[in-house]
Amino acid sequence: MMRHLILMSLFILPLLGQAQLRKEKKEQLKALKIAYMTDELQLTPEEATRFWPVFNAFEEKQREIRKQKLKNYLDSEGESSAQLNEKDAQQALKQMAAMDEEVFQAKKKLLEDLKGVIPAYKIIQLKQAEEKFKQKLLRKLQDRRK
């Protein structure tokens, strides 16, 4: 019995360590994004305290939608699109459209919510700042692989 516990802990502890590292990396990345975007948008301290809760809620909603999309994809992974009958294909298309609509509505809500938080020109700059941040991250990853 004790031997089994020791063996199990030898397998589980490294996994827990990896999960903790991933969480730390995720938090580190989030902090970098906050600093970068705050600087790029030149948010005042007052704007930042009002902006980030709204933006974080939007990102969480997007994360939920992506998670659901992935779940739907993995659930249907066993079936190739060639094997779908017309009824199943129609249903899959409806689900795809519904999720795209959900993303669109979340973006629309973000824009509306931000109107009372930061000036319109900063809302427009937001998309550019997000893209710049993504490009910067991709370049760093590519540089690491070289």
Side-chain angles (χ1 to χ4, degrees):
M1 177 71 165
M2 184 62 126
R3 196 169 155 199
H4 290 282
L5 287 174
I6 293 171
L7 284 173
M8 282 179 40
S9 66
L10 288 174
F11 289 110
I12 292 174
L13 287 177
L15 294 176
L16 292 175
Q18 287 177 351
Q20 182 63 33
L21 275 175
R22 257 184 301 211
K23 186 176 181 182
E24 288 172 10
K25 289 283 187 190
K26 198 182 271 189
E27 290 299 318
Q28 201 175 34
L29 183 61
K30 187 174 181 175
L32 285 172
K33 184 174 185 175
I34 288 171
Y36 182 84
M37 303 267 292
T38 300
D39 186 53
E40 279 290 306
L41 297 175
Q42 298 178 345
L43 297 176
T44 66
E46 181 185 313
E47 288 173 337
T49 58
R50 294 173 58 209
F51 170 83
W52 285 108
V54 172
F55 188 78
N56 289 339
F58 164 73
E59 284 200 322
E60 182 59 34
K61 180 69 174 169
Q62 274 197 315
R63 203 172 295 111
E64 288 172 20
I65 296 167
R66 280 194 304 266
K67 199 177 194 180
Q68 186 60 44
K69 269 186 173 180
L70 180 61
K71 182 186 177 309
N72 289 350
Y73 173 76
L74 292 175
D75 287 348
S76 67
E77 195 176 63
E79 306 172 19
S80 79
S81 57
Q83 294 172 331
L84 288 176
N85 62 38
E86 186 62 22
K87 183 180 175 185
D88 291 341
Q90 290 291 338
Q91 184 60 35
L93 286 174
K94 281 182 186 178
Q95 283 181 332
M96 290 168 54
M99 287 188 174
D100 288 345
E101 179 63 25
E102 202 173 345
V103 169
F104 173 75
Q105 291 301 325
K107 287 179 182 179
K108 196 171 165 182
K109 182 179 180 339
L110 172 69
L111 294 177
E112 283 302 313
D113 291 349
L114 287 178
K115 282 182 184 176
V117 174
I118 58 176
Y121 73 92
K122 288 186 180 183
I123 295 172
I124 292 170
Q125 290 174 340
L126 173 62
K127 184 66 176 165
Q128 295 168 334
E130 284 183 292
E131 289 304 315
K132 282 183 186 177
F133 183 75
K134 287 177 191 173
Q135 289 172 359
K136 194 174 182 178
L137 267 179
L138 285 173
R139 268 188 253 120
K140 269 191 173 185
L141 287 172
Q142 289 169 346
D143 290 346
R144 281 187 187 170
R145 290 183 180 155
K146 289 180 182 178

